[in-house]
Amino acid sequence: MSGAPLFAADVRLPGLLYGRVLRAPVSPELASRPAGFNAAAARALPGFVALVEHPGLTSANSQGLGLLARTPGALDRIEAALALQWQVEDGDANDIERLLQLPPQGRLRHQLREDEVSEAGPWDVDLVFETPLAAHNGIEPRCAVADYRAADQSLRLWTGTQDLFYVRDTLVRRLALDEAKVQVQACRAGGAFGARTLVLVEPEAALLSRAVGAPVKVQWTRAQELQQGFHRPPSRHRLRARLQDGRVSDWWHRLISSHILFTPAAMPRWMQGLADIKGDGGVARGALPPYALPRQRIEFDARRLPVHTGPWRGLGAGPNCWVIESAIDECAHLAGIDPLAFRLAQLDNARLRRVLERVAQSAGWPQQPASDENTLRGRGLACGIYKGSAYAAVIAEVEVERASGAARVSTMHCAHDCGRIIQPDGVRAQIEGNLVWCLGMVLIEALPVDKQAGIAASGFAEAPIPRIHDLPALHIELIDTSEPSGGAGETAMVAGAGAIANALRAATGLRFTRLPVRADDLRAAAGTLAR
């Protein structure tokens, strides 16, 4: 170890001050600004340096108030003494429910496949799926250290980011600086998952540093991460399928979500409206099934919501592939065909077929674990292709306590083909992260929203993530090929959630279509089986 800083929070500079931009505790989508505060009480406290009112501290529609102190601890005390009052535009969280309603008739705005699918006649599978808002929940809240030098109008900044050039360009534009005089040092990020693609904390640090003529560190709190950041959008899907001779003959998937690539955290309404002419590819990612289905209609739309949404691990692939693999599994059950055999019969992709066969072999499929008087057990299978270049198949095993409905994923097997593998340990770590992420998606994670369209969570108590005791045994098989490297950072998202959901179906006999699946849902299912 050299002792050199690894994270932005580790950076120490002579004369370093600590900053925070205070904002109304509502969605940045709502117009808000300071309406009154007790500046005299704040100035009287030890460690106070300055209050900064500047139009550059606006993020989306949220006008902030800058606060600077000599120690991190003083920030909390001074913020409390300010007793800030806020003027906030009215909002209504019920708009989320209304905006995500699928229209009963008519085509959605964007089509991925437009085969002629007859709407007349019965459907063998007709299911509505729902996913909630969910947070990135990186262990390290975002942080930036800025050192602005007035003498030559230069800026040096340290931050954990997924795109340091975008950070630089944003700072050049927002502070009207010479690009040659802006230096951004990329640091480690303690969890990003799409959250560090946008520039949020960096302009705050830079503007505060310029305002006081000293280096400034801005470290967001957990509450700021949840209330001022952007999140995985909720989605609603209706998926209908017909079977003929043990195979899917007609497939109709309609989905509505909110923006991911065209995130409102970076785009005003007018710009987003122009981008929407093309359609948000992040929302649609993974919506094309990997199977050779003869007739498909796949359509989608994205609605701007009163909360900010944006990139999240795998973009739309996690929710979309959960829906697809749940529906395919339900088709297999209705056809009375083993889920593995059902999938293989409708695959013409050799690489996807190979990962399916390999995971089945390693997990001992089709053997199912036995339930007993206290515990329901089941195994589920899912697979998928990510961005046309990487392939994954997963088998998950779950246990559900009959009395409490508590569910646990006990084991997950994954076969993974991302082409030529350069660093196997890194690939394996990415897969492990994806599988745990999928576990949280199905059983744990959801963000509550309050009546004024703000995120009603300030920490992990209200926005939980999987903990060590939730983690299953993970068995990962890497399939190294001579194909070009296809990426591993998000691939297993196409299969992990579907496998867990299908394992719950195998254990309980019921298809759960709303995430996360709660203990109450599972306890009711166990009671149904007991009767």
Side-chain angles (χ1 to χ4, degrees):
M1 297 293 292
S2 67
L6 296 176
F7 297 87
D10 296 322
V11 174
R12 300 289 187 271
L13 299 176
L16 182 68
L17 300 177
Y18 298 87
R20 181 177 297 168
V21 177
L22 308 176
R23 302 187 186 278
V26 298
S27 168
E29 186 70 1
L30 301 179
S32 61
R33 64 177 181 83
F37 49 88
N38 191 340
R43 291 190 179 98
L45 290 178
F48 174 88
V49 174
L51 294 174
V52 178
E53 297 182 79
H54 192 284
L57 295 178
T58 299
S59 176
N61 296 312
S62 172
Q63 174 62 53
L65 174 68
L67 167 62
L68 288 139
R70 299 199 181 280
T71 66
L75 289 172
D76 292 333
R77 296 189 292 272
I78 296 168
E79 179 179 351
L82 279 169
L84 263 161
Q85 302 295 314
W86 299 97
Q87 179 177 317
V88 181
E89 175 187 79
D90 288 339
D92 187 355
N94 291 330
D95 280 352
I96 294 178
E97 181 71 20
R98 177 181 61 81
L99 290 167
L100 291 184
Q101 287 295 326
L102 282 162
Q105 296 179 339
R107 296 202 172 190
L108 299 181
R109 189 173 185 183
H110 305 289
Q111 287 76 43
L112 296 179
R113 283 284 297 267
E114 298 183 80
D115 299 346
E116 287 299 324
V117 174
S118 174
E119 300 180 29
W123 294 88
D124 296 292
V125 169
D126 189 348
L127 297 169
V128 174
F129 295 88
E130 297 179 28
T131 63
L133 278 164
H136 298 89
N137 269 335
I139 297 301
E140 177 210 26
R142 69 195 72 209
C143 179
V145 175
D147 187 10
Y148 178 82
R149 304 293 178 91
D152 60 355
Q153 296 185 350
S154 66
L155 174 67
R156 190 173 183 192
L157 184 134
W158 293 258
T159 185
T161 177
Q162 292 175 253
D163 190 342
L164 76 163
F165 295 103
Y166 182 37
V167 172
R168 180 202 62 188
D169 294 346
T170 299
L171 295 173
V172 166
R173 184 179 69 255
R174 293 273 295 272
L175 278 73
L177 298 174
D178 181 347
E179 180 181 302
K181 294 183 178 181
V182 177
Q183 180 181 349
V184 178
Q185 175 66 52
C187 301
R188 301 289 295 273
F193 321 117
R196 310 293 181 96
T197 54
L198 297 186
V199 184
L200 299 177
V201 70
E202 294 85 358
E204 295 179 347
L207 283 162
L208 293 180
S209 177
R210 186 166 69 176
V212 295
V216 172
K217 177 183 292 183
V218 176
Q219 172 89 63
W220 275 20
T221 65
R222 178 63 54 188
Q224 286 178 302
E225 278 288 326
L226 292 168
Q227 296 166 5
Q228 297 176 25
F230 57 92
H231 307 291
R232 184 196 74 191
S235 63
R236 183 172 281 112
H237 310 245
R238 187 175 183 185
L239 203 149
R240 287 174 271 190
R242 287 194 185 98
L243 296 172
Q244 184 176 352
D245 299 326
R247 299 185 66 167
V248 175
S249 61
D250 297 271
W251 181 270
W252 187 6
H253 185 181
R254 307 171 81 216
L255 74 101
I256 286 185
S257 185
S258 189
H259 299 84
I260 297 178
L261 296 178
F262 303 158
T263 168
M267 286 189 175
R269 286 182 181 273
W270 68 267
M271 184 184 297
Q272 194 176 69
L274 293 175
D276 264 340
I277 296 172
K278 178 181 179 183
D280 192 320
V283 172
R285 183 171 293 179
L288 286 169
Y291 305 99
L293 310 180
R295 291 183 294 276
Q296 303 178 45
R297 185 192 297 181
I298 303 168
E299 49 192 319
F300 74 98
D301 201 356
R303 307 283 172 80
R304 192 175 181 112
L305 300 181
V307 292
H308 276 179
T309 60
W312 189 85
R313 195 167 194 173
L315 309 188
N320 292 336
C321 292
W322 161 64
V323 169
I324 291 168
E325 286 300 288
S326 294
I328 283 288
D329 209 65
E330 203 59 31
C331 287
H333 285 290
L334 287 171
I337 300 174
D338 172 78
L340 173 62
F342 188 82
R343 286 170 168 81
L344 290 173
Q346 297 175 94
L347 277 181
D348 57 9
N349 186 293
R351 294 176 71 181
L352 187 57
R353 174 181 290 273
R354 178 169 54 188
V355 293
L356 261 174
E357 292 173 337
R358 293 282 280 270
V359 78
Q361 181 181 17
S362 65
W365 186 274
Q367 181 179 351
Q368 285 282 339
S371 298
D372 57 39
E373 60 181 7
N374 297 316
T375 305
L376 299 170
R377 296 182 178 87
R379 270 182 158 191
L381 171 72
C383 65
I385 304 173
Y386 191 66
K387 296 178 71 173
S389 61
Y391 306 78
V394 174
I395 291 174
E397 186 170 320
V398 300
E399 299 176 348
V400 180
E401 293 182 7
R402 292 181 187 266
S404 67
R408 178 174 179 271
V409 181
S410 58
T411 306
M412 296 183 80
H413 295 261
C414 179
H416 193 279
D417 171 7
C418 57
R420 184 173 297 281
I421 297 173
I422 308 301
Q423 215 285 350
D425 288 343
V427 172
R428 192 176 300 275
Q430 292 287 0
I431 298 168
E432 291 173 349
N434 276 288
L435 295 179
V436 174
W437 198 279
C438 289
L439 184 158
M441 176 179 164
V442 176
L443 293 175
I444 297 172
E445 297 183 44
L447 268 180
V449 180
D450 69 17
K451 65 180 181 179
Q452 205 171 25
I455 302 300
S458 59
F460 289 125
E462 302 90 4
I465 59 175
R467 301 183 181 186
I468 291 295
H469 68 265
D470 297 313
L471 304 192
L474 300 176
H475 306 279
I476 295 169
E477 181 177 3
L478 303 180
I479 301 174
D480 197 348
T481 72
S482 59
E483 299 288 341
S485 298
E490 298 170 324
T491 300
M493 292 296 295
V494 302
I500 296 169
N502 293 337
L504 293 173
R505 167 66 166 86
T508 66
L510 296 179
R511 174 63 60 189
F512 299 98
T513 59
R514 182 172 185 150
L515 298 184
V517 182
R518 302 293 192 186
D520 287 348
D521 305 321
L522 293 163
R523 185 168 57 249
T528 300
L529 285 179
R531 291 194 295 271

